[in-house]
Amino acid sequence: MIYQNRQGARKDIDHIFKDLLPDQGMPERPEQIALSHRILAAMQRRGIALRDAGTGIGKTYAYLVAGIVFHGPPPSRPVLVSTSNILFQ
């Protein structure tokens, strides 16, 4: 299911980062939420998102959550996240 409704998708991102992940012990990070919203907006307009953010922002989850919200549950299209961080590769 691809979200055409931007507000619904934004609410889902907020729910994941403000409710679900903190319930699992992960801290809420406003910069991470904002980054995920910007990535989602690029996906919705079929654009490319090239973002730079400092250490500890939570870039990986920001990209993955935006991709999941945009494309929906499996089976869905793949989302490519590229990093130069050896640990995440």
Coordinates of all heavy atoms in Angstrom, one line a residue:
M1 N 0.8 -1.2 0.0 CA 0.0 0.0 0.0 C 0.9 1.2 0.0 O 1.7 1.5 0.9 CB -0.9 0.0 1.2 CG -1.7 1.2 1.5 SD -2.5 1.1 3.0 CE -3.9 2.2 2.7
I2 N 0.8 2.0 -1.0 CA 1.6 3.3 -1.1 C 0.7 4.4 -0.6 O -0.4 4.5 -1.0 CB 2.0 3.5 -2.6 CG1 3.0 2.4 -3.0 CG2 2.7 4.9 -2.7 CD1 3.4 2.6 -4.4
Y3 N 1.2 5.1 0.3 CA 0.5 6.2 0.9 C 0.4 7.4 0.0 O 1.4 8.0 -0.4 CB 1.2 6.7 2.2 CG 0.7 6.0 3.4 CD1 1.5 4.9 3.9 CD2 -0.4 6.3 4.1 CE1 1.1 4.3 5.1 CE2 -0.8 5.7 5.2 CZ -0.1 4.6 5.7 OH -0.5 4.0 6.8
Q4 N -0.8 7.7 -0.4 CA -1.0 9.0 -1.2 C -1.3 10.1 -0.2 O -1.2 11.2 -0.5 CB -2.1 8.8 -2.2 CG -1.8 7.7 -3.2 CD -0.5 8.0 -4.0 OE1 -0.2 9.1 -4.4 NE2 0.2 6.9 -4.3
N5 N -1.8 9.7 1.0 CA -2.3 10.6 2.0 C -1.0 11.0 2.8 O -0.6 10.3 3.7 CB -3.3 10.0 2.8 CG -3.8 10.9 4.0 OD1 -3.1 11.9 4.3 ND2 -4.9 10.5 4.6
R6 N -0.5 12.2 2.6 CA 0.7 12.6 3.3 C 0.5 12.7 4.8 O 1.3 12.3 5.6 CB 1.2 13.9 2.8 CG 1.7 13.8 1.4 CD 2.2 15.2 0.9 NE 2.6 15.0 -0.5 CZ 3.7 15.4 -1.0 NH1 4.6 16.0 -0.2 NH2 4.0 15.3 -2.3
Q7 N -0.7 13.2 5.2 CA -0.9 13.4 6.7 C -1.0 12.0 7.3 O -0.5 11.8 8.5 CB -2.2 14.2 6.9 CG -2.0 15.6 6.6 CD -0.9 16.3 7.4 OE1 0.2 16.5 6.8 NE2 -1.0 16.5 8.6
G8 N -1.6 11.0 6.7 CA -1.7 9.7 7.3 C -0.3 9.1 7.5 O 0.0 8.5 8.5
A9 N 0.5 9.3 6.5 CA 1.9 8.7 6.5 C 2.7 9.4 7.6 O 3.5 8.8 8.3 CB 2.5 8.8 5.1
R10 N 2.6 10.7 7.7 CA 3.3 11.5 8.7 C 2.9 11.0 10.1 O 3.7 10.9 11.0 CB 3.1 13.0 8.5 CG 3.8 13.6 7.3 CD 3.5 15.0 7.2 NE 4.0 15.8 8.3 CZ 5.3 16.3 8.4 NH1 6.1 16.0 7.4 NH2 5.6 16.9 9.4
K11 N 1.6 10.8 10.3 CA 1.1 10.3 11.6 C 1.6 9.0 11.9 O 2.0 8.7 13.1 CB -0.5 10.3 11.6 CG -1.1 11.7 11.7 CD -2.6 11.6 11.7 CE -3.2 13.0 11.6 NZ -4.7 12.9 11.6
D12 N 1.8 8.1 10.9 CA 2.4 6.8 11.1 C 3.8 6.9 11.6 O 4.3 6.2 12.5 CB 2.2 5.9 9.9 CG 0.8 5.3 9.7 OD1 0.0 5.4 10.7 OD2 0.6 4.8 8.6
I13 N 4.6 7.8 10.9 CA 6.0 8.0 11.3 C 6.0 8.5 12.8 O 6.8 8.0 13.6 CB 6.7 9.0 10.4 CG1 7.0 8.2 9.0 CG2 8.0 9.5 11.0 CD1 7.6 9.1 8.0
D14 N 5.2 9.5 13.1 CA 5.2 10.0 14.5 C 4.8 8.9 15.5 O 5.5 8.8 16.5 CB 4.2 11.1 14.6 CG 4.7 12.4 13.9 OD1 5.9 12.5 13.7 OD2 3.8 13.3 13.7
H15 N 3.9 8.0 15.1 CA 3.4 6.9 16.0 C 4.6 6.0 16.2 O 4.8 5.5 17.4 CB 2.2 6.2 15.4 CG 1.8 5.0 16.1 ND1 1.4 5.0 17.5 CD2 1.7 3.7 15.8 CE1 1.1 3.8 17.9 NE2 1.3 3.0 16.8
I16 N 5.3 5.6 15.2 CA 6.4 4.7 15.3 C 7.5 5.3 16.2 O 8.0 4.6 17.1 CB 7.0 4.3 13.9 CG1 6.0 3.5 13.2 CG2 8.3 3.6 14.0 CD1 6.3 3.3 11.7
F17 N 7.9 6.5 15.9 CA 9.0 7.1 16.7 C 8.6 7.6 18.1 O 9.5 7.7 18.9 CB 9.7 8.2 15.9 CG 10.6 7.8 14.8 CD1 10.3 8.0 13.5 CD2 11.7 7.0 15.1 CE1 11.1 7.6 12.4 CE2 12.5 6.6 14.0 CZ 12.2 6.9 12.7
K18 N 7.4 8.0 18.3 CA 7.0 8.6 19.5 C 6.3 7.6 20.5 O 6.2 7.8 21.7 CB 6.1 9.8 19.3 CG 6.8 10.9 18.6 CD 5.9 12.1 18.4 CE 6.6 13.3 17.8 NZ 5.8 14.5 17.6
D19 N 5.8 6.5 19.9 CA 5.1 5.5 20.8 C 5.7 4.2 20.7 O 6.1 3.6 21.8 CB 3.6 5.4 20.3 CG 2.8 6.7 20.4 OD1 3.0 7.5 21.3 OD2 2.1 7.0 19.4
L20 N 5.8 3.6 19.6 CA 6.3 2.2 19.5 C 7.7 2.0 19.9 O 8.0 1.1 20.7 CB 6.0 1.7 18.0 CG 4.6 1.6 17.6 CD1 4.5 1.1 16.1 CD2 3.7 0.8 18.5
L21 N 8.6 2.8 19.3 CA 10.0 2.6 19.6 C 10.4 2.9 21.1 O 11.1 2.2 21.7 CB 10.9 3.3 18.6 CG 10.9 2.8 17.2 CD1 11.7 3.6 16.3 CD2 11.3 1.3 17.1
P22 N 9.8 4.0 21.6 CA 10.1 4.3 23.0 C 9.5 3.2 24.0 O 10.1 2.9 25.0 CB 9.4 5.6 23.3 CG 9.4 6.3 22.0 CD 9.2 5.2 21.0
D23 N 8.4 2.6 23.6 CA 8.0 1.4 24.4 C 9.0 0.3 24.4 O 8.9 -0.6 25.3 CB 6.6 0.9 23.8 CG 5.4 1.8 24.2 OD1 5.6 2.7 25.0 OD2 4.4 1.6 23.6
Q24 N 9.9 0.2 23.4 CA 10.9 -0.8 23.4 C 12.2 -0.3 23.9 O 13.3 -0.9 23.7 CB 11.1 -1.3 21.9 CG 9.8 -1.9 21.3 CD 9.3 -3.0 22.1 OE1 10.1 -3.9 22.5 NE2 8.0 -3.0 22.4
G25 N 12.2 0.9 24.6 CA 13.4 1.4 25.2 C 14.2 2.3 24.4 O 15.3 2.7 24.8
M26 N 13.8 2.6 23.2 CA 14.6 3.5 22.3 C 14.2 5.0 22.6 O 13.0 5.3 22.7 CB 14.4 3.2 20.9 CG 14.9 1.8 20.5 SD 14.6 1.3 18.8 CE 15.8 2.5 18.0
P27 N 15.1 5.9 22.7 CA 14.8 7.3 23.0 C 14.1 8.0 21.8 O 14.4 7.6 20.7 CB 16.1 7.9 23.3 CG 17.1 7.1 22.6 CD 16.6 5.7 22.6
E28 N 13.3 8.9 22.1 CA 12.7 9.7 21.1 C 13.7 10.8 20.7 O 14.3 11.5 21.5 CB 11.4 10.4 21.6 CG 10.7 11.2 20.6 CD 9.4 11.8 21.1 OE1 8.7 11.2 21.9 OE2 9.1 12.9 20.7
R29 N 14.0 10.9 19.4 CA 14.9 11.8 18.9 C 14.2 12.7 17.8 O 14.0 12.3 16.7 CB 16.1 11.1 18.2 CG 16.8 10.2 19.1 CD 17.9 9.4 18.3 NE 18.6 8.5 19.2 CZ 19.4 7.5 18.7 NH1 19.6 7.4 17.4 NH2 20.0 6.7 19.6
P30 N 14.0 14.0 18.2 CA 13.3 14.9 17.3 C 14.0 15.0 15.9 O 13.3 15.1 14.9 CB 13.3 16.2 18.0 CG 13.4 15.9 19.5 CD 14.2 14.6 19.5
E31 N 15.3 15.1 15.9 CA 16.0 15.2 14.6 C 15.8 14.0 13.7 O 15.7 14.1 12.5 CB 17.5 15.4 14.8 CG 17.9 16.6 15.6 CD 17.9 16.4 17.1 OE1 17.6 15.3 17.6 OE2 18.2 17.4 17.8
Q32 N 15.7 12.8 14.3 CA 15.4 11.6 13.6 C 14.0 11.6 13.0 O 13.8 11.2 11.8 CB 15.6 10.4 14.6 CG 15.4 9.0 13.9 CD 15.5 7.9 15.0 OE1 14.9 8.0 16.0 NE2 16.3 6.9 14.7
I33 N 13.1 12.1 13.7 CA 11.7 12.2 13.2 C 11.6 13.1 12.1 O 11.0 12.8 11.0 CB 10.7 12.6 14.4 CG1 10.8 11.5 15.5 CG2 9.3 12.8 13.8 CD1 10.1 11.9 16.8
A34 N 12.2 14.3 12.2 CA 12.2 15.3 11.1 C 12.9 14.7 9.9 O 12.4 15.0 8.8 CB 12.9 16.6 11.6
L35 N 14.0 14.0 10.0 CA 14.7 13.4 8.9 C 13.8 12.4 8.2 O 13.7 12.4 7.0 CB 16.0 12.8 9.4 CG 16.8 12.0 8.3 CD1 17.3 13.0 7.2 CD2 18.0 11.4 9.0
S36 N 13.1 11.6 9.0 CA 12.2 10.6 8.4 C 11.1 11.3 7.6 O 10.7 10.8 6.5 CB 11.7 9.7 9.5 OG 11.1 8.5 8.9
H37 N 10.6 12.4 8.1 CA 9.5 13.1 7.4 C 10.1 13.7 6.1 O 9.4 13.6 5.1 CB 9.0 14.3 8.2 CG 8.1 13.8 9.3 ND1 6.8 13.3 9.1 CD2 8.2 13.8 10.7 CE1 6.2 13.0 10.2 NE2 7.1 13.3 11.2
R38 N 11.3 14.2 6.1 CA 11.9 14.7 4.8 C 12.1 13.6 3.8 O 11.9 13.8 2.6 CB 13.2 15.5 5.1 CG 12.9 16.8 5.8 CD 14.2 17.7 5.9 NE 15.3 17.0 6.6 CZ 15.5 17.2 7.9 NH1 14.7 18.0 8.6 NH2 16.5 16.6 8.5
I39 N 12.6 12.4 4.3 CA 12.8 11.3 3.4 C 11.4 10.9 2.8 O 11.3 10.6 1.6 CB 13.5 10.2 4.1 CG1 14.9 10.6 4.6 CG2 13.5 8.9 3.3 CD1 15.5 9.7 5.6
L40 N 10.4 10.7 3.6 CA 9.1 10.4 3.2 C 8.6 11.3 2.1 O 8.0 10.9 1.1 CB 8.1 10.3 4.3 CG 6.7 10.0 3.9 CD1 6.5 8.6 3.4 CD2 5.7 10.3 5.1
A41 N 8.8 12.6 2.3 CA 8.3 13.6 1.4 C 9.0 13.4 0.0 O 8.3 13.5 -1.0 CB 8.6 15.0 1.9
A42 N 10.3 13.1 0.0 CA 11.0 12.9 -1.3 C 10.4 11.6 -1.9 O 10.2 11.6 -3.2 CB 12.5 12.7 -1.0
M43 N 10.1 10.6 -1.2 CA 9.5 9.4 -1.8 C 8.2 9.7 -2.4 O 7.8 9.2 -3.4 CB 9.4 8.3 -0.7 CG 10.7 7.7 -0.3 SD 10.5 6.5 1.0 CE 12.1 5.8 1.2
Q44 N 7.4 10.5 -1.7 CA 6.0 10.8 -2.1 C 6.0 11.6 -3.4 O 5.1 11.5 -4.2 CB 5.2 11.5 -1.0 CG 4.9 10.6 0.1 CD 4.2 11.3 1.2 OE1 4.5 12.4 1.6 NE2 3.2 10.6 1.8
R45 N 7.0 12.4 -3.6 CA 7.1 13.2 -4.9 C 8.0 12.5 -5.9 O 8.3 13.1 -6.9 CB 7.5 14.6 -4.6 CG 8.9 14.8 -4.1 CD 9.3 16.3 -4.0 NE 10.6 16.4 -3.5 CZ 11.0 16.4 -2.3 NH1 10.2 16.4 -1.3 NH2 12.3 16.5 -2.0
R46 N 8.3 11.2 -5.6 CA 9.2 10.4 -6.5 C 10.5 11.0 -6.7 O 11.1 10.9 -7.8 CB 8.5 10.1 -7.8 CG 7.1 9.5 -7.7 CD 7.2 8.0 -7.6 NE 5.9 7.4 -7.7 CZ 5.3 6.7 -6.8 NH1 6.0 6.4 -5.7 NH2 4.1 6.2 -7.0
G47 N 11.1 11.6 -5.7 CA 12.3 12.3 -5.8 C 13.5 11.5 -5.2 O 13.3 10.3 -4.8
I48 N 14.6 12.1 -5.0 CA 15.7 11.5 -4.4 C 16.1 12.2 -3.1 O 16.0 13.5 -3.1 CB 17.0 11.5 -5.3 CG1 16.7 10.7 -6.6 CG2 18.2 11.0 -4.6 CD1 17.7 10.8 -7.7
A49 N 16.3 11.5 -2.1 CA 16.7 12.1 -0.8 C 18.2 11.9 -0.5 O 18.6 10.7 -0.2 CB 15.8 11.5 0.3
L50 N 18.9 12.9 -0.5 CA 20.3 12.8 -0.1 C 20.4 13.7 1.1 O 20.3 14.9 1.1 CB 21.3 13.4 -1.2 CG 21.2 12.6 -2.5 CD1 22.1 13.4 -3.6 CD2 21.7 11.2 -2.4
R51 N 20.7 13.1 2.3 CA 20.7 13.8 3.5 C 22.0 13.5 4.3 O 22.5 12.4 4.2 CB 19.5 13.3 4.4 CG 18.1 13.5 3.8 CD 17.8 15.0 3.8 NE 16.5 15.1 3.3 CZ 16.2 16.1 2.4 NH1 17.1 16.9 1.9 NH2 14.9 16.2 1.9
D52 N 22.4 14.5 5.0 CA 23.6 14.4 5.8 C 23.2 14.8 7.2 O 22.5 15.8 7.4 CB 24.7 15.3 5.3 CG 26.0 15.2 6.1 OD1 26.3 14.0 6.4 OD2 26.7 16.2 6.3
A53 N 23.5 13.9 8.2 CA 23.2 14.2 9.6 C 24.3 13.7 10.4 O 25.0 12.8 10.1 CB 21.9 13.6 9.9
G54 N 24.4 14.3 11.6 CA 25.5 14.0 12.5 C 25.4 12.6 13.1 O 24.3 12.0 13.1
T55 N 26.4 12.2 13.8 CA 26.4 10.9 14.5 C 25.4 11.0 15.6 O 25.2 11.9 16.3 CB 27.8 10.7 15.2 OG1 28.8 10.8 14.1 CG2 27.9 9.4 15.9
G56 N 24.7 9.8 15.8 CA 23.7 9.7 16.8 C 22.3 10.2 16.5 O 21.4 10.1 17.4
I57 N 22.1 10.7 15.3 CA 20.7 11.2 14.9 C 19.8 10.0 14.8 O 18.6 10.1 15.1 CB 20.8 12.0 13.6 CG1 21.6 13.2 13.8 CG2 19.4 12.3 13.1 CD1 21.0 14.2 14.8
G58 N 20.3 8.9 14.2 CA 19.5 7.7 14.0 C 19.0 7.7 12.5 O 17.9 7.4 12.2
K59 N 20.0 7.9 11.6 CA 19.7 8.0 10.2 C 19.2 6.7 9.7 O 18.2 6.7 8.9 CB 21.0 8.4 9.4 CG 21.5 9.8 9.7 CD 22.8 10.1 9.0 CE 24.0 9.4 9.6 NZ 24.4 9.9 10.9
T60 N 19.7 5.6 10.1 CA 19.3 4.3 9.5 C 17.8 4.0 9.8 O 17.1 3.7 8.9 CB 20.2 3.1 10.2 OG1 21.5 3.4 9.9 CG2 19.7 1.8 9.6
Y61 N 17.4 4.2 11.0 CA 16.0 4.0 11.3 C 15.1 5.1 10.6 O 14.0 4.8 10.2 CB 15.7 4.1 12.8 CG 16.0 2.8 13.5 CD1 17.0 2.6 14.4 CD2 15.2 1.6 13.3 CE1 17.2 1.4 15.1 CE2 15.4 0.4 13.9 CZ 16.4 0.3 14.8 OH 16.7 -0.9 15.4
A62 N 15.6 6.3 10.5 CA 14.8 7.3 9.8 C 14.5 6.9 8.4 O 13.4 7.0 7.9 CB 15.6 8.6 9.8
Y63 N 15.6 6.4 7.7 CA 15.4 5.9 6.3 C 14.5 4.7 6.2 O 13.6 4.6 5.4 CB 16.7 5.6 5.6 CG 17.4 6.8 5.1 CD1 18.5 7.4 5.7 CD2 17.0 7.3 3.8 CE1 19.1 8.5 5.2 CE2 17.7 8.4 3.3 CZ 18.8 9.0 4.0 OH 19.4 10.0 3.4
L64 N 14.7 3.7 7.1 CA 13.9 2.5 7.1 C 12.5 2.7 7.4 O 11.6 2.1 6.8 CB 14.6 1.5 8.0 CG 16.0 1.0 7.6 CD1 16.5 0.0 8.6 CD2 15.9 0.3 6.2
V65 N 12.2 3.5 8.4 CA 10.8 3.8 8.8 C 10.1 4.5 7.7 O 9.0 4.1 7.3 CB 10.7 4.5 10.1 CG1 9.3 5.1 10.4 CG2 11.1 3.6 11.3
A66 N 10.7 5.5 7.1 CA 10.1 6.2 5.9 C 9.8 5.2 4.8 O 8.7 5.3 4.2 CB 11.0 7.3 5.4
G67 N 10.7 4.3 4.5 CA 10.5 3.3 3.4 C 9.4 2.4 3.7 O 8.6 2.1 2.9
I68 N 9.3 1.9 5.0 CA 8.2 1.0 5.4 C 6.9 1.7 5.3 O 5.9 1.1 4.8 CB 8.5 0.4 6.8 CG1 9.7 -0.5 6.7 CG2 7.3 -0.2 7.3 CD1 10.3 -0.9 8.1
V69 N 6.8 2.9 5.8 CA 5.6 3.6 5.8 C 5.1 3.9 4.4 O 4.0 3.8 4.0 CB 5.7 5.0 6.6 CG1 4.5 5.9 6.4 CG2 5.8 4.6 8.1
F70 N 6.1 4.3 3.5 CA 5.7 4.6 2.1 C 5.3 3.4 1.3 O 4.3 3.4 0.6 CB 6.9 5.3 1.5 CG 6.6 5.7 0.0 CD1 5.8 6.8 -0.2 CD2 7.1 5.0 -1.0 CE1 5.5 7.1 -1.5 CE2 6.8 5.3 -2.3 CZ 6.0 6.4 -2.6
H71 N 6.0 2.3 1.4 CA 5.8 1.2 0.6 C 4.8 0.2 1.2 O 4.3 -0.7 0.5 CB 7.1 0.4 0.3 CG 7.9 1.2 -0.7 ND1 7.5 1.4 -2.0 CD2 9.1 1.8 -0.6 CE1 8.4 2.1 -2.6 NE2 9.4 2.3 -1.8
G72 N 4.6 0.2 2.5 CA 3.7 -0.7 3.2 C 4.4 -2.0 3.6 O 5.6 -2.2 3.4
P73 N 3.6 -2.9 4.2 CA 4.2 -4.1 4.7 C 4.5 -5.1 3.5 O 4.1 -4.9 2.4 CB 3.0 -4.7 5.5 CG 1.8 -4.1 4.9 CD 2.2 -2.8 4.4
P74 N 5.4 -6.1 3.8 CA 5.8 -7.0 2.8 C 4.6 -7.8 2.3 O 3.6 -8.0 3.0 CB 6.7 -8.0 3.5 CG 7.2 -7.2 4.7 CD 6.1 -6.3 5.1
P75 N 4.5 -8.2 1.0 CA 5.6 -8.0 0.1 C 5.5 -6.6 -0.5 O 4.4 -6.1 -0.8 CB 5.4 -9.0 -1.0 CG 3.9 -9.2 -1.0 CD 3.5 -9.0 0.5
S76 N 6.6 -5.9 -0.7 CA 6.6 -4.6 -1.2 C 7.9 -4.4 -2.0 O 8.8 -5.3 -2.1 CB 6.5 -3.5 -0.1 OG 7.6 -3.6 0.8
R77 N 8.1 -3.2 -2.5 CA 9.3 -2.9 -3.3 C 10.4 -2.7 -2.4 O 10.3 -2.2 -1.2 CB 9.0 -1.6 -4.1 CG 7.9 -1.8 -5.1 CD 7.5 -0.6 -5.8 NE 8.6 0.3 -6.2 CZ 8.5 1.5 -6.5 NH1 7.4 2.1 -6.5 NH2 9.6 2.2 -6.8
P78 N 11.6 -3.0 -2.8 CA 12.8 -2.8 -2.0 C 13.1 -1.3 -1.8 O 12.8 -0.5 -2.6 CB 13.9 -3.5 -2.7 CG 13.5 -3.6 -4.1 CD 12.0 -3.6 -4.1
V79 N 13.8 -1.0 -0.6 CA 14.3 0.3 -0.3 C 15.8 0.2 -0.2 O 16.3 -0.6 0.5 CB 13.7 0.8 1.0 CG1 14.3 2.2 1.4 CG2 12.2 1.0 0.9
L80 N 16.5 1.0 -0.9 CA 18.0 1.0 -0.9 C 18.5 2.1 0.0 O 18.1 3.3 -0.2 CB 18.6 1.2 -2.3 CG 20.1 1.3 -2.4 CD1 20.7 0.0 -1.9 CD2 20.5 1.7 -3.8
V81 N 19.2 1.7 1.0 CA 19.8 2.7 1.9 C 21.3 2.5 1.8 O 21.8 1.4 2.1 CB 19.4 2.5 3.4 CG1 20.1 3.5 4.3 CG2 17.9 2.6 3.5
S82 N 22.1 3.5 1.4 CA 23.5 3.4 1.2 C 24.2 4.1 2.4 O 23.8 5.2 2.8 CB 23.9 4.0 -0.1 OG 25.3 3.9 -0.3
T83 N 25.3 3.5 2.8 CA 26.1 4.2 3.9 C 27.6 3.9 3.7 O 27.9 2.9 3.1 CB 25.7 3.6 5.3 OG1 26.5 4.2 6.3 CG2 25.8 2.1 5.4
S84 N 28.4 4.8 4.2 CA 29.8 4.6 4.1 C 30.3 4.0 5.5 O 31.5 3.7 5.6 CB 30.6 5.9 3.8 OG 30.3 6.8 4.8
N85 N 29.4 3.8 6.4 CA 29.8 3.3 7.7 C 30.0 1.8 7.6 O 29.1 1.0 7.3 CB 28.6 3.6 8.7 CG 29.0 3.2 10.1 OD1 29.5 2.2 10.4 ND2 28.6 4.1 11.0
I86 N 31.2 1.4 7.9 CA 31.6 -0.1 7.8 C 30.7 -0.9 8.8 O 30.3 -2.0 8.4 CB 33.0 -0.3 8.1 CG1 33.9 0.5 7.1 CG2 33.4 -1.7 8.2 CD1 33.8 0.1 5.7
L87 N 30.4 -0.4 9.9 CA 29.6 -1.1 10.9 C 28.2 -1.5 10.3 O 27.7 -2.6 10.5 CB 29.4 -0.3 12.2 CG 28.6 -1.0 13.3 CD1 29.2 -2.2 13.8 CD2 28.4 0.0 14.4
F88 N 27.6 -0.6 9.6 CA 26.3 -0.8 9.1 C 26.3 -1.6 7.8 O 25.3 -2.1 7.4 CB 25.5 0.5 8.9 CG 25.1 1.2 10.2 CD1 25.4 2.5 10.4 CD2 24.4 0.4 11.1 CE1 25.0 3.1 11.6 CE2 24.0 1.0 12.3 CZ 24.3 2.3 12.5
Q89 N 27.4 -1.7 7.1 CA 27.5 -2.4 5.9 C 27.5 -3.9 6.2 O 27.0 -4.7 5.5 CB 28.7 -2.1 5.1 CG 28.7 -0.7 4.5 CD 30.0 -0.3 3.8 OE1 30.9 -1.2 3.6 NE2 30.1 0.9 3.4

